[in-house]
Structures are given as C-alpha cells and as structure tokens.
Amino acid sequence: MYENSKSIIAKYLENSLSQEERRQVDKWLAQPEYRERFKKHFLEYYQNKKYDGEKAFRSFEAEIQENAKGKMIPLRRNLGRAILKYAAVLIGLMTLGYLLWPSSSDTETYSATGTEVTLQLEDGSTITLDTTSEGDLSVQGGVYSILHKKDKLVYDKARTPSKNIVYNTLTVPLGRQFHLELSDGTIVHLNAGSKLRYPVHFPDSIVRKVFLEGEGFFSVAKRNNQRFVVHSDALSAEVFGTAFNLSSYVHEESSIVLVEGSVGAFTEGQKYTEENGTMMAPGQKASISESSGAIAVEEVETDAYTAWINGTLLFKNERFASLSKKLERHYNIVLQNNYPELDDKRFTGKFDIESITEILEVFKRTNSFHYSMEDNTITITE
C-alpha cells in the first residue's frame, strides 16, 4: 500500500507534492510506524548534504516534542528549510494559558470549487493553470497574450487595448494561492478560496474596475486621472495609489487593511464619496459595524492581515472561531469542532507549516482534546 512512500517523502521534502500526495503524507505522519519510515527517508535524503542530518533530525524532533512553556516548532511548508532553521522558528502560542486548536461546529465559508487554479475567458472557456509549468498563453484568437510563470500570470502591457472591455476571471481553490500582474502593472495576490474578475486591458478613458470574492492583496499601479476600484459584496475600495488587503469571504467579516497610501472604503454605489464612505490612513482597518451597519475604522498591526502573502498564518489575539476558518482555507480541510468552549478563546501564533496532524499532536500535549481524521475532515472532541 505504501510502496511509493520513499518517492513521495522525497517530493515532500522538496515541496513538490500534489494536493493528493500532500493529504497522503498527512495521514502517514499521524501513524507512529510511518513516522519511523519518514525518519528513515529523511536521513537518506539528507545524508549527502553538507550538514549532520541525524543531528538535525534529533533537534527537529526534540523541538516538536517540546511543550514546556507553550513552545513548539511547526512542520514548515518547506521542511528542508525548517530543519536548517529549527533553532530560529520556535513559536509561542500562548493565549489565556492555552495552546489552542480546532474549529467551528457550523462552519460556512466561501469555496472556489475544484482543486486547480483556473482562468475563465470572456467567451466562457476555461484554462486549467498548471502551477509547475511556464509559458505564453495566446488566447481568444491571439487578441492578447499572457505570460504564465508557475503560480503567476502577467498580462501583456505593450499591446494597444481595444475599445471593447474583455474580462477574465481567475479562480483560486482552497489550499492554494496565486499571483497576478494586470496590464496596468498592478500586482494582485489572491488567497485560497478566492475569485477575481478583471479586464485584460484598461482603456485610458474608463475607471479601472475589478471584482473580488474572497481575499486579495493589491499593490496598485498609479495612473494619473484614472481611478482604480475594487468591488466586493460588502466593502469596496477606491484607490488613490496604495497597497492594501481586502477580505470579503461569505459569512465572515469583510475588511480593508491599508498598508501604504490612501484608500476610500465604501459600501454602496460605484465610487467613493464622503457620504457613502470613509477615507483610510496607513495602519488602519475598515470593517462594517455589526451594531450600526456603518463603516468602522480602527488601528491595527497590518502584518497580521498580510502575512498570508508569504504562505504564513499570523494570528494576534484572534478568536479561535475566526482563525479556524483561515486554517480550513489554508489547508483545504474541514474542522468539525465539538468542543465549543474553544471558540471564544483568543491566542497569538505564527504558522508556516506543512502537516496539520503534526500541529494537532503538539497541541494535544497541552490541551485535553481528541481528534479523528477522515479524508479531509478533522473532528475534535473533549
């Protein structure tokens, strides 16, 4: 059954697993006998490297098993890098005296269906984007071209745009991220479970409009006298030359977090006005007040909202009910929490991990709970 485990573990250490292979490794690591096999292949893989693989594994394993004072080392997305840096990546996850884990019992999240990143063209046809390959995409009869660089698309800036606005839609499934450079030079990072609809070119005479479902980080290219607007179901943003994060997942708080520049956050209409919106300054977060329905602004540490761009989950005094949804999207799993007392706990932590079961095992040493895993569903009980 596990004849190909050696090759899969080698791919795991090289960070080149498919989604299905990644789920398989997660299952193996939950079983003691296959953890031993993992150790064996780990040492074989690193035996010709310029450092002591046995020592690195012992140190790595010791830090994983460390639970004193709430310290842990997560299994990182690139395990080879983690081994080299094990001494520097201890994470303190201390909140109200607990190391927390698991999930909301009635989770409802926006989900970009499927397991692959897809690009839908104006004519309705769809291209599946292989994130391990590169090349030029000539689409719609050669009307325009796109450079595909693994997990990024770059739209042609040199071609003269036509008067007709042609839209593409990029869909990123759960457990994945993707990057996009629009024809005006704007950079967009799309988080898991997100969708962006945008023109392939922006004629000079129109407002630059894009439409977001999910979460995106935008670094907007400045064009004199040409506005850039990001529309979502709840909050929208009119950009005045800036970098910001907009999150608008279904059944979750919608927010805009401004890193630099200025943004006008608004809820109604096609543009920002003083009557329908709020002007933001760097370091501020705009969201919709539950009590009044108006836009509320607060000062925040922006890195907690933008760390995902680099594959990191960073939580700062965040409710478990909120962060559990992010964990589900990040790993493309379902967390069924039958221990509801966790939901209102707040904690701080930084994750750059590969195996969710490894994290659960660490948390079990300092929390009284049990879990079971079937396919991509994890159920947590007291």
Side-chain angles (χ1 to χ4, degrees), residues 11 31 80-81 105 143 171 177 190 203 261 263 285 293 320-321 329 331 344 350 371:
K11 290 172 68 177
Q31 305 175 55
R81 180 179 61 182
S105 59
V143 173
T171 301
Q177 293 181 8
L190 285 179
V263 154
K285 170 189 170 184
F320 181 76
R329 284 194 295 269
Y331 296 107
D344 289 326
K350 184 177 181 181
Y371 74 92

Side-chain angles (χ1 to χ4, degrees), residues 168-189:
N168 283 180
T169 300
L170 184 64
T171 301
V172 182
L174 299 175
R176 307 286 289 276
Q177 293 181 8
F178 208 81
H179 314 287
L180 180 66
E181 184 173 338
L182 300 177
S183 63
D184 66 343
T186 293
I187 305 296
V188 185
H189 303 267

Side-chain angles (χ1 to χ4, degrees), residues 316-351:
K316 294 188 177 183
N317 195 34
E318 185 169 352
R319 290 182 66 243
F320 181 76
S322 169
L323 66 87
S324 63
K325 298 178 186 296
K326 298 176 183 179
L327 294 171
E328 289 183 309
R329 284 194 295 269
H330 190 74
Y331 296 107
N332 190 16
I333 58 170
V334 175
L335 288 171
Q336 182 66 40
N337 182 21
N338 296 329
Y339 189 21
E341 288 81 358
L342 289 178
D343 281 346
D344 289 326
K345 302 288 186 181
R346 293 180 177 271
F347 76 99
T348 296
K350 184 177 181 181
F351 298 83

Side-chain angles (χ1 to χ4, degrees), residues 180-248:
L180 180 66
E181 184 173 338
L182 300 177
S183 63
D184 66 343
T186 293
I187 305 296
V188 185
H189 303 267
L190 285 179
N191 206 351
S194 298
K195 182 184 295 186
L196 185 72
R197 183 170 180 261
Y198 53 92
V200 300
H201 285 291
F202 297 100
D204 294 337
S205 59
I206 69 167
V207 176
R208 294 174 289 168
K209 292 183 182 179
V210 299
F211 303 86
L212 175 69
E213 297 177 60
E215 185 169 25
F217 182 87
F218 295 80
S219 182
V220 177
K222 186 175 182 179
R223 275 191 180 181
N224 291 333
N225 302 318
Q226 190 177 27
R227 296 184 290 122
F228 192 104
V229 179
V230 182
H231 287 282
S232 73
D233 286 342
L235 270 177
S236 297
E238 182 166 334
V239 178
F240 301 92
T242 191
F244 67 99
N245 193 81
L246 196 158
S247 180
S248 184

Side-chain angles (χ1 to χ4, degrees), residues 71-98:
K71 293 184 178 180
M72 58 168 284
I73 178 172
L75 194 60
R76 298 173 67 92
R77 196 170 288 279
N78 185 330
L79 183 57
R81 180 179 61 182
I83 301 304
L84 290 172
K85 300 174 70 175
Y86 62 81
V89 293
L90 290 180
I91 306 300
L93 298 177
M94 296 169 283
T95 289
L96 302 180
Y98 291 92

Side-chain angles (χ1 to χ4, degrees), residues 51-222:
Y51 57 90
D52 189 335
E54 179 68 46
K55 181 178 179 180
F57 186 86
R58 288 198 307 269
S59 299
F60 176 69
E61 188 174 47
E63 299 296 355
I64 285 179
Q65 294 173 352
E66 171 71 44
N67 60 21
K69 299 183 181 180
K71 293 184 178 180
M72 58 168 284
I73 178 172
L75 194 60
R76 298 173 67 92
R77 196 170 288 279
N78 185 330
L79 183 57
R81 180 179 61 182
I83 301 304
L84 290 172
K85 300 174 70 175
Y86 62 81
V89 293
L90 290 180
I91 306 300
L93 298 177
M94 296 169 283
T95 289
L96 302 180
Y98 291 92
L99 281 175
L100 304 181
W101 181 251
S103 152
S104 170
S105 59
D106 56 350
T107 300
E108 292 182 273
T109 59
Y110 168 75
S111 173
T113 57
T115 60
E116 302 297 333
V117 178
T118 62
L119 178 66
Q120 184 177 19
L121 308 180
E122 179 79 1
D123 62 7
S125 60
T126 299
I127 299 173
T128 298
L129 300 175
D130 181 357
T131 54
T132 64
S133 65
E134 298 185 355
D136 289 319
L137 302 177
S138 180
V139 293
Q140 294 187 203
V143 173
Y144 61 94
S145 63
I146 312 167
L147 178 60
H148 177 207
K149 299 179 178 180
K150 296 184 179 180
D151 63 349
K152 182 178 182 179
L153 291 181
V154 179
Y155 278 75
D156 185 1
K157 301 179 182 63
R159 190 180 298 274
T160 302
S162 67
K163 294 182 179 179
N164 297 323
I165 301 175
V166 176
Y167 280 91
N168 283 180
T169 300
L170 184 64
T171 301
V172 182
L174 299 175
R176 307 286 289 276
Q177 293 181 8
F178 208 81
H179 314 287
L180 180 66
E181 184 173 338
L182 300 177
S183 63
D184 66 343
T186 293
I187 305 296
V188 185
H189 303 267
L190 285 179
N191 206 351
S194 298
K195 182 184 295 186
L196 185 72
R197 183 170 180 261
Y198 53 92
V200 300
H201 285 291
F202 297 100
D204 294 337
S205 59
I206 69 167
V207 176
R208 294 174 289 168
K209 292 183 182 179
V210 299
F211 303 86
L212 175 69
E213 297 177 60
E215 185 169 25
F217 182 87
F218 295 80
S219 182
V220 177
K222 186 175 182 179

